[in-house]
Amino acid sequence: MNGLTDTILNMMDTTQEPEDYIGEDGLLHCGKCHKPKEAYFPQGKALFGRDRHPSECDCRRAERERLEKRDADEKHNAEVERLKREGFSNPAMRHWTFENDNGKCPQIGKAYSYVEKWETVRTENLGYLLWGNVGSGKSYFAGCIANALMEKEIPVCMTNFATILNNLFYGSENRNEYIVRLCSYPLLILDDFGMERGTEYGLEQVYNVIDSRYISKKPLIATTNLTPEQLRNPEDVPHARIYGRLLEMCVPVRFTGGDFRKITAQQKMERLKKLME
C-alpha cells in the first residue's frame, strides 16, 4: 500500500520549470503560456491530503499532441510500407499514383470515384474490367486505386496470373491456403488478364482464383487487352467459364488513349538526339 501511495503521489506532482510562477489563484502557472499547470479538486475535495492535481497548460498540451501525431504518423507510414511491400508483385507499381499522373488518361476520374466510394463498392462487390490497347493506361489506373487505398491502410493485392501460377507451382505455401489468402484481400487487382499460359493446369488455376473471389463476394479489378466481344465469345469451354465469371463481377471500362509507352519512347529518343547534337 505504501508503494501504491507513493506512485499516486508522484503522479500528482507537477514539474516546476524555472520560469513558472504561482498565480493569484494559488496555482502553479506556466511561465511561457501563462496557463495553470494545476487544478483544484471540485467542491473542496482532497486526495491523500492534497487539494489539487496536475493539469495541462497550452504548452504541455501542444507538445503531447505533437508527439502523439508523430507516433501516429510513424505507425501509419510503417503500415502503409508493409501493405505496399506485400501487396505489389512489382515494386514499380508503388509509383503509379494520382500524384504522379500526367493528366493524359481521360478515365482517371473513375479511379478517383472508386476510391472515394470505396465503402459502397466494397459492400456491393463492384469491380472494373479495364480494357483497351497496350499502353493506354489501364495498369496505371489500377495502380492509382491500389496505392490510394493502401494509403488508407486498406490491404490490396495487385498482381498477375504469371506470378500467381508461379507461386502456386513453386511456392512453399499450400495451394488452397494461397488462394484463400488472395481472396482475403478487400481488393484484388489482376493485371494483364488473358496473357497467362493456355495450359489445362493454368486455366484451371485461373478459374479457381476468380471463382473463389466470386464466392468471397469481394471486388475484383482486372486489366486486359481483350475486348468485351472476345470475352463474350470465348474459344472453348474453359475460357467460357473464366470469362463468364469475370463479366459477372466487373463493369467494363474502355481505355481509348494512345500508347503512352510509345509516346515516352519517342520523347526519350528526341531528348537523346538533342543531347547528341
Side-chain angles (χ1 to χ4, degrees):
M1 287 300 296
N2 290 336
L4 177 60
T5 301
D6 291 341
T7 299
I8 295 175
L9 290 175
N10 287 334
M11 292 173 62
M12 295 175 63
D13 285 337
T14 302
T15 302
Q16 183 172 356
E17 304 296 337
E19 64 270 23
D20 294 345
Y21 61 93
I22 302 298
E24 295 181 357
D25 53 8
L27 298 173
L28 182 67
H29 284 243
C30 175
K32 295 179 180 179
C33 67
H34 306 291
K35 295 297 177 66
K37 299 178 74 172
E38 299 176 317
Y40 290 111
F41 287 113
Q43 300 178 352
K45 293 182 179 179
L47 181 63
F48 293 103
R50 299 190 181 186
D51 63 348
R52 65 195 65 190
H53 60 84
S55 178
E56 281 187 325
C57 65
D58 290 350
C59 297
R60 183 63 61 85
R61 182 179 299 106
E63 177 65 9
R64 174 179 57 80
E65 291 175 350
R66 185 187 69 81
L67 294 176
E68 288 177 350
K69 184 180 184 305
R70 184 198 64 185
D71 292 343
D73 288 344
E74 289 179 353
K75 182 178 179 181
H76 169 74
N77 292 335
E79 177 63 8
V80 171
E81 171 63 25
R82 182 188 70 82
L83 292 176
K84 293 189 176 185
R85 184 174 60 250
E86 297 178 359
F88 287 129
S89 60
N90 183 349
M93 295 173 176
R94 290 170 172 245
H95 304 291
W96 298 351
T97 65
F98 291 124
E99 292 75 16
N100 294 332
D101 178 44
N102 59 15
K104 295 181 179 180
C105 178
Q107 296 83 6
I108 202 69
K110 290 183 171 60
Y112 277 108
S113 297
Y114 196 88
V115 173
E116 290 174 355
K117 300 176 182 177
W118 165 248
E119 290 303 324
T120 300
V121 299
R122 178 179 184 175
T123 301
E124 299 183 16
N125 186 18
L126 303 174
Y128 278 144
L129 174 63
L130 311 176
W131 68 280
N133 296 329
V134 174
S136 56
K138 304 182 297 295
S139 297
Y140 191 93
F141 176 105
C144 286
I145 292 176
N147 276 290
L149 290 178
M150 288 184 192
E151 290 292 340
K152 296 176 180 288
E153 299 189 17
I154 298 170
V156 178
C157 178
M158 183 170 178
T159 185
N160 54 57
F161 270 115
T163 301
I164 290 175
L165 293 174
N166 185 68
N167 290 337
L168 285 170
F169 193 77
Y170 298 107
S172 58
E173 195 172 2
N174 178 277
R175 294 179 184 178
N176 290 334
E177 291 178 353
Y178 178 72
I179 292 177
V180 168
R181 183 162 62 83
L182 282 180
C183 291
S184 69
Y185 285 92
L187 177 64
L188 175 63
I189 299 176
L190 300 177
D191 197 27
D192 283 336
F193 176 80
M195 303 303 291
E196 58 278 349
R197 299 191 303 268
T199 64
E200 181 179 350
Y201 170 81
L203 292 176
E204 184 63 27
Q205 298 311 313
V206 170
Y207 177 77
N208 287 339
V209 170
I210 292 180
D211 188 58
S212 297
R213 191 72 188 179
Y214 174 84
I215 294 172
S216 71
K217 296 182 179 181
K218 293 178 181 176
L220 170 71
I221 291 177
T223 73
T224 182
N225 298 331
L226 301 173
T227 67
E229 185 66 20
Q230 290 174 308
L231 293 173
R232 295 189 188 99
N233 297 280
E235 58 192 57
D236 52 39
V237 173
H239 284 90
R241 296 169 68 209
I242 296 170
Y243 296 167
R245 274 284 188 259
L246 190 65
L247 290 170
E248 187 176 353
M249 299 170 66
C250 303
V251 176
V253 176
R254 184 182 182 186
F255 280 69
T256 57
D259 190 336
F260 297 144
R261 299 173 191 174
K262 289 184 178 179
I263 295 173
T264 300
Q266 184 63 34
Q267 290 173 342
K268 288 185 177 181
M269 184 179 295
E270 294 297 328
R271 174 59 178 160
L272 184 58
K273 287 171 64 177
K274 289 184 179 181
L275 289 174
M276 293 302 100
E277 291 173 357

